[in-house]
Every structure is written in structure tokens, then in C-alpha cells.
Amino acid sequence: MSSLNDPVKLPSGLVFPNRLVKAAMAEMLAGFWNTPTSSLLKVYEQWGKGNWGGILTGNVQVDVNHLGTPFDPALAGEYTDPESNKDLLATWKKYADACQEHGPPAIVQLCHPGRQSLRVAGRRGPFASPIAPSPIPLEMGDSFVQRWMSWFVFPPPREMTQADIDLVTRQFVDAARLMADAGFSGVELHGAHGYLIDQFLNPKSNIRTDVYGGSAAKRAKFVLDILREIRAVVPPTFSIGVKFNSADHNSASFEDTMTQIGLLDDAGIDFVEISGGTYEDPKMFDHPGQPAQSQPQEQKSARTAVREAFFLEFASAVRTRYPSLMLMLTGGFRTRAGAEYALSQNACDLIGIGRPAAIDPNFAKLLLDENLSESEAQLVLKRVAVPFWAKWIPLSAVGAGWESSYYTKQIQRIARGLRTILPV
């Protein structure tokens, strides 16, 4: 059976010394200027010492005018070349060095939020519209209050023109070139959690009738063009991955989803990370061993109840269709036994771990230490309690947002050299 300690080699030639990857999480440490700060570097130095096989950064936004949170690191302008952008390159090189100086390769998660850009996030101004493949607003409920609050937090988007698409494509390519020149080992295009690439891939948010919509292949054109153009300007040893939303096996769009993953495989992607959820339906914050509220406990199979991986069945389906595609599975892992189970099912090659890493930067060491028993090689995390006042806000994402904020604060405690606090 595959071991967590086994090295993994990507098609680009990049080698992860073991199978555990620190997954991307929001740090909110880039300050008002949205650049890598000393605090951001400090927390990545700690993760770099944690014996992770690889490190995925939190979101790096490709356009400072469109941010997911007000304090995301982002590119403020065009990147041309190392000589013309010496100061910019030096700043990001410090980030790459902090991540990798203790050994693990670091992959930068590149993102554009599209319609999921908070009204107060980004330099476009609070009254300017975000952009999206189609002018479909974010909806976090059907009631008047829910719709009004959704509008208040997330302004309705405008449909992207071809000029917008060309600009954003160039921004992704510029960002990837900068990360390669700075010394990072690769980039991951964030095509999950309802962000812009996911919005293009999803027929619910992409109702275009041009070359970017109308079929699974056309909806994938946006990300495939970005992938192709990045590959043309970075070294062949620079890895490119995509984070991809899982789909319900009973969904009518399942075959479309498999088609899109096949197109990524044909394009020569180095790895696909399987995750899931959006702001409208935040499945990425479900808890292992706990069914989603809409899913009665009796409907959960015995096998599902004991495993941790949120999206393991979907990853297994992808593996069956595309056996040579390198897969990372993220979401819900808390124990060595859970991670080993996912490997034993041949559902993935890499295990992505988020929230435990926000509590213990050395969590990978714990899982990899074969001298520890199964009961010792774990970190049990309770659901973060939502304050009483938040329960009166009728938005599905409030609880998920509160949970995300809790772990962001723990990351910030690591950056300040403070002990993290387990949820109680």
C-alpha cells in the first residue's frame, strides 16, 4: 500500500518528498497594500519547517481591483520582466524563499474572485460592479432579506466582454511568470469554491452563447486558454495545477464535469486538486463524520461515516476515468488513518490538509511519525461555535464564514509567535 512518506513526482519533474500538502487557506496578512508582509512570511516559515511534502499558498489575486477579502496579496499592475520590475520581483522572491528555505516546494494559488468579490474588497470602489462570465448575482437564499443581504455584500456582476477576458487571461499569465521568476515551484489556478474560473466552468453561472459557453468544452475554454498561455512562458519544470470543484454523482452536470477534467488532462496539467463548495453552498466547511444538514444520518453509508475525506467518492470517479492524472484530495482530513484510507482506495496521490495546519504548523510531522500510534496521529477539531447574534443573519455562508475567520485568526497567531487555540 502507498505510504504517506512516499515521494510523489509530478509530470513537470517536481518532486514532493511526501504525500502531505499544506492546503490553501486565507491568511489575511497582506495589509492595506496587498503585498507579502513580514507577518505573511513568518507564518510560511513555520509551515516550511513542518515537514510538509508541499505547501500551497492562500489566494494570490491576479488583479488588485478584484479581491476576495480586503487583505489578500495581489498584483497591483502588469509584470513585464525581472529587469523592469526589480522591486516587485524582490518582494515576491522573499515570499518564495520563506516557503521553501526548509525544503518543501511551494505552489502559489492564483485566483480571481469574479462575482464573489466583496463590496469592500479591491480598489475598484464599493459601488463598482465585479465581473463574471454572465450577469448572474450571487444568491444566498430565496427570501427578500436574504436577497437584499446578498446584494449588499456582493454587488451584482456585469458580464465580461472579450476585452475583459483577454485582460484577466493576461493577468493570470503575468502572475504565473512573476511566481516562476521569484522562485516558486508552480502555480495552481483556483477553479473551485465559486471563484471566476469555476464561474466559467459551471452552467449555473455561465449562460453565455459565445465561444465561452453553451457546452462543457466551451465553458472550459477560459481556463484552458490561461493554462496554455502560462505553459508557453514558464520553464517546463514549473508545475501548473488546477483546483476543481467536485460534483454530485446524481447531478445532471456530472458528465460535463468529467469532460472538463478530461480536457485539463489532455492539456498536460500537472495535478488536479479536488475540493468543493461555493459561497452559496459552502460544502468545503462540512465536518468529517457529520452529515450535511440536508442529508439525514441514515442515508450515510457505514463507510462514509467512518472516513474523513469530504470528496473521496468524486475523486475515485475521476481516478477511474483518468488513471494517470495526478490527484490531490483536500477537505476533512484529521487523522493518519483517514489519509491512509484515501490512499488505499487509490482515490488520490496527494493529501491536502487545511485547518489542522492552522492549529499546528507541524501537523505533517505528527502524521508521518511511525512511532506514534493511530490514536496519537490525529487532531480532533470541533465545529467552531457561531455567536448567538450570527444565528439571526439568514445567510447560509455566515456559519462557514465564521469558521473560516476562526482559522484565519489562528494563522495570524502563528505569525505573531502565539499559541493557537482549539475550538471548544
Side-chain angles (χ1 to χ4, degrees):
M1 188 184 85
S2 299
S3 167
L4 295 177
N5 281 284
D6 289 342
V8 176
K9 186 176 182 179
L10 301 185
S12 64
L14 178 66
V15 176
F16 290 93
N18 63 66
R19 296 181 183 270
L20 299 178
V21 178
K22 195 288 291 180
M25 292 176 284
E27 316 97 349
M28 293 189 69
L29 286 170
F32 290 103
W33 297 107
N34 305 106
T35 60
T37 62
S38 60
S39 295
L40 188 65
L41 270 54
K42 286 177 183 177
V43 73
Y44 277 92
E45 287 171 356
Q46 293 303 310
W47 279 321
K49 297 175 183 177
N51 203 23
W52 296 95
I55 291 175
L56 269 170
T57 74
N59 280 342
V60 171
Q61 305 293 353
V62 299
D63 185 351
V64 75
N65 295 307
H66 298 269
L67 304 178
T69 77
F71 304 113
D72 290 339
L75 269 69
E78 186 177 7
Y79 175 72
T80 53
D81 59 72
E83 287 301 315
S84 302
N85 304 101
K86 289 182 179 179
D87 291 342
L88 180 65
L89 180 60
T91 297
W92 288 90
K93 188 177 187 309
K94 290 179 182 178
Y95 191 4
D97 291 345
C99 294
Q100 299 179 140
E101 64 179 333
H102 297 286
I107 307 290
V108 178
Q109 183 170 265
L110 296 181
C111 183
H112 192 298
R115 68 177 185 171
Q116 286 188 174
S117 182
L118 292 166
R119 188 178 290 275
V120 297
R123 300 181 190 174
R124 69 180 186 277
F127 301 106
S129 298
I131 56 177
S134 300
I136 300 174
L138 210 63
E139 293 184 359
M140 299 186 188
D142 296 326
S143 72
F144 171 80
V145 173
Q146 289 171 322
R147 288 177 179 272
W148 183 86
M149 294 187 72
S150 297
W151 172 88
F152 181 77
V153 177
F154 298 99
R158 65 173 177 82
E159 181 170 298
M160 294 173 70
T161 65
Q162 185 63 54
D164 293 323
I165 292 172
D166 293 343
L167 173 60
V168 174
T169 299
R170 187 169 70 249
Q171 289 171 330
F172 270 102
V173 175
D174 280 352
R177 285 194 301 114
L178 173 59
M179 301 312 152
D181 290 345
F184 283 101
S185 298
V187 293
E188 179 184 63
L189 307 178
H190 199 331
H193 301 173
Y195 293 119
L196 184 62
I197 291 175
D198 187 24
Q199 291 163 33
F200 268 92
L201 293 168
N202 193 327
K204 293 181 180 180
S205 51
N206 180 356
I207 57 173
R208 300 175 73 101
T209 57
D210 60 3
V211 295
Y212 296 97
S215 70
K218 288 183 177 180
R219 292 194 301 273
K221 175 176 168 56
F222 179 62
V223 66
L224 291 171
D225 287 349
I226 293 171
L227 172 60
R228 184 188 67 254
E229 293 191 29
I230 289 176
R231 182 59 75 195
V233 297
V234 298
T237 54
F238 190 73
S239 294
I240 307 173
V242 173
K243 179 179 281 188
F244 202 92
N245 248 14
S246 65
D248 186 346
H249 281 253
N250 296 319
S251 171
S253 64
F254 180 71
E255 286 301 324
D256 281 357
T257 302
M258 287 292 135
T259 295
Q260 291 173 339
I261 292 177
L263 291 170
L264 291 173
D265 191 20
D266 292 342
I269 200 78
D270 284 294
F271 67 95
V272 168
E273 180 185 3
I274 302 298
S275 187
T278 67
Y279 285 11
E280 293 176 316
D281 184 17
K283 287 185 174 67
M284 58 281 199
F285 289 105
D286 285 348
H287 273 242
Q290 300 177 4
Q293 291 181 359
S294 61
Q295 193 173 19
Q297 178 66 43
E298 59 267 21
Q299 293 181 12
K300 306 285 278 186
S301 69
R303 197 181 86 178
T304 302
V306 299
R307 71 172 177 243
E308 297 171 8
F310 295 166
F311 313 112
L312 187 142
E313 289 180 356
F314 181 84
S316 297
V318 175
R319 176 69 88 200
T320 300
R321 298 284 187 97
Y322 308 106
S324 63
L325 180 61
M326 195 69 62
L327 295 178
M328 183 166 88
L329 182 58
T330 299
F333 292 107
R334 303 288 181 270
T335 70
R336 179 201 295 153
E340 289 180 339
Y341 178 81
L343 292 178
S344 73
Q345 299 303 297
N346 193 32
C348 60
D349 306 283
L350 297 162
I351 302 290
I353 296 177
R355 280 169 277 179
I359 296 294
D360 180 5
N362 298 308
F363 185 63
K365 289 183 180 179
L366 187 75
L367 296 193
L368 295 171
D369 188 348
E370 296 178 351
N371 294 317
L372 296 178
S373 67
E374 294 297 330
S375 62
E376 294 172 307
Q378 63 177 308
L379 179 58
V380 177
L381 297 175
K382 296 182 179 180
R383 186 180 293 274
V384 175
V386 177
F388 75 94
W389 54 263
K391 298 176 182 178
W392 294 95
I393 301 176
L395 292 180
S396 60
V398 170
W402 190 262
E403 177 128 351
S404 177
S405 176
Y406 182 90
Y407 286 100
T408 295
K409 290 177 182 176
Q410 304 314 306
I411 292 171
Q412 293 169 354
R413 289 181 67 86
I414 294 172
R416 298 197 303 271
L418 301 176
R419 179 175 294 185
T420 56
I421 302 171
L422 283 168
V424 294

